[in-house]
Amino acid sequence: MKDSRISFTRTEYILPALAALAGLSALMSLCLGAVAVRPGEVLAVLLGRGSGPAVPVVLYARLPRTCGCLLAGAALAAAGTVIQGVLGNPLAAPNVIGVNAGAGLCTAVCAALWPAWTAAVPFAAFLGAFGGVLLVLLIAERTGASKMTLVLAGVAVSGMFSAGIDTVLTFFPDALNGYTDFRVGGMANLSMSRVAPAFWVVLAAFLLALSLAGELDVLLLGEETARSLGLPARRLRLVLLALAAALAGAAVSFAGLLGFVGLIAPHMVRRLVGEDSSARLLLAAALGGAALLTLCDILARTLFAPYELPVGVVLSLLGGPFFLWLLLRQRRGRGNSHA
């Protein structure tokens, strides 16, 4: 009894703490950069009472970037949480199993063929992301559905989709402005008009995922258990994967092919809040992912100032070793189970 009470008391404060961390990281993002802006000046600008050079810096350079970081981080982390839960694979993440690359391919096609339809980009990205996850799932099921097969299939599908992006840009070189940032993942030159359509997609998908958190809890008990309780497991899995694809696709539509947020954030918050409640885990992952991406973006633009790195580079430097550590831990776990 004592241990459960301690655990509850601890997790009770995790969500407010993560929300405070996300808010603090957003404030730091608005204040820090080539031109330092004091928190009081930032608040005055946001309330419409600012003046001087702080106004364009905050409103047109940093505010869209900060909003983009918070939105993309939350979306990718929530997508990773859903994907890992549905597939039962801790190595699964939007960038690992081809979701991001599929979204990137459809984003490139949409930008090349219908450049004026900017509001349609998040929906095109969703179609690509959902197609990618379905393709990987089909390959894994046909070949045994092992955890390693899923990862390898995702790497192969990601490679094919990346080749497709390169092909589109060979014929339409101006389709994606700042292609290097898009390929690695970056927040430079964001505007609120690019972030706004994705926001509504992320909001709708996230609320729907939260509404299905109870069903996801049952699904995590196993497909046979879910069926015995009258839950349409296969249909539910497809719906949840579609929501994860919508979350990841919307983020890719304006932030590019960001990697590892959907891998790192769910694992970090899972250690804090546990796995008893998918709703709590989703909320914690979204807040943690928002804070993680925003802090990484701050590092990317201040670490080597006045030079700026795409935030995807910082994430890869953090996520690559983290993924290898997870891979080795999974391998050791299998070895111990055989022993």
Side-chain angles (χ1 to χ4, degrees):
M1 266 318 267
K2 184 178 179 181
D3 289 339
S4 64
R5 186 171 63 251
I6 291 173
S7 175
F8 174 76
T9 303
R10 187 187 68 175
T11 58
E12 188 180 13
Y13 298 102
I14 293 299
L15 289 179
L18 288 172
L21 179 61
L24 179 60
S25 65
L27 179 61
M28 292 171 59
S29 178
L30 292 171
C31 292
L32 300 177
V35 177
V37 182
R38 293 193 302 272
E41 291 180 296
V42 169
L43 183 60
V45 171
L46 295 179
L47 293 175
R49 301 171 185 168
S51 60
V55 175
V57 169
V58 172
L59 288 183
Y60 304 115
R62 294 185 188 167
L63 184 60
R65 185 166 189 156
T66 301
C67 291
C69 285
L70 293 172
L71 184 65
L76 290 171
T81 302
V82 172
I83 289 171
Q84 289 170 12
V86 171
L87 300 182
N89 190 339
L91 298 175
N95 66 298
V96 175
I97 65 168
V99 176
N100 282 7
L105 175 58
C106 281
T107 296
V109 170
C110 185
L113 300 182
W114 303 284
W117 293 7
T118 55
V121 171
F123 302 99
F126 157 70
L127 293 176
F130 191 47
V133 74
L134 287 182
L135 181 58
V136 171
L137 187 61
L138 177 64
I139 294 171
E141 286 183 350
R142 291 291 179 88
T143 56
S146 69
K147 294 179 179 179
M148 190 53 62
T149 300
L150 187 70
V151 172
L152 294 175
V155 171
V157 169
S158 293
M160 290 188 294
F161 285 155
S162 296
I165 296 173
D166 291 334
T167 301
V168 171
L169 294 178
T170 298
F171 294 101
F172 302 92
D174 298 325
L176 293 175
N177 293 324
Y179 174 60
T180 301
D181 281 352
F182 180 85
R183 188 64 180 268
V184 179
M187 298 290 175
N189 303 317
L190 267 187
S191 63
M192 295 303 287
S193 61
R194 287 180 59 195
V195 176
F199 168 78
W200 296 110
V201 175
V202 170
L203 180 63
F206 185 73
L207 291 177
L208 285 171
L210 273 181
S211 70
L212 293 174
E215 286 81 354
L216 179 57
D217 286 333
V218 176
L219 192 62
L220 291 174
L221 299 175
E223 190 166 336
E224 291 184 4
T225 303
R227 287 177 178 171
S228 68
L229 295 173
L231 201 68
R234 189 175 183 85
R235 189 186 312 162
L236 178 62
R237 183 182 289 110
L238 289 176
V239 170
L240 287 168
L241 288 176
L243 294 175
L247 289 166
V252 168
S253 70
F254 67 87
L257 305 181
L258 289 171
F260 297 110
V261 178
L263 181 70
I264 298 175
H267 280 279
M268 289 175 62
V269 301
R270 195 175 280 117
R271 290 178 173 270
L272 297 174
V273 302
E275 300 183 74
D276 296 336
S277 169
S278 294
R280 186 169 62 222
L281 183 59
L282 271 171
L283 287 169
L287 292 170
L292 173 65
L293 184 55
T294 305
L295 291 172
C296 286
D297 187 60
I298 294 170
L299 284 176
R301 55 193 169 93
T302 60
L303 204 57
F304 299 103
Y307 300 102
E308 182 178 313
L309 290 172
V311 65
V313 173
V314 177
L315 284 169
S316 295
L317 291 174
L318 293 174
F322 185 82
F323 181 76
L324 290 175
W325 174 74
L326 279 178
L327 196 62
L328 292 173
R329 193 178 69 166
Q330 291 291 313
R331 190 175 184 85
R332 283 198 302 269
R334 288 199 304 272
N336 292 336
S337 64
H338 289 320

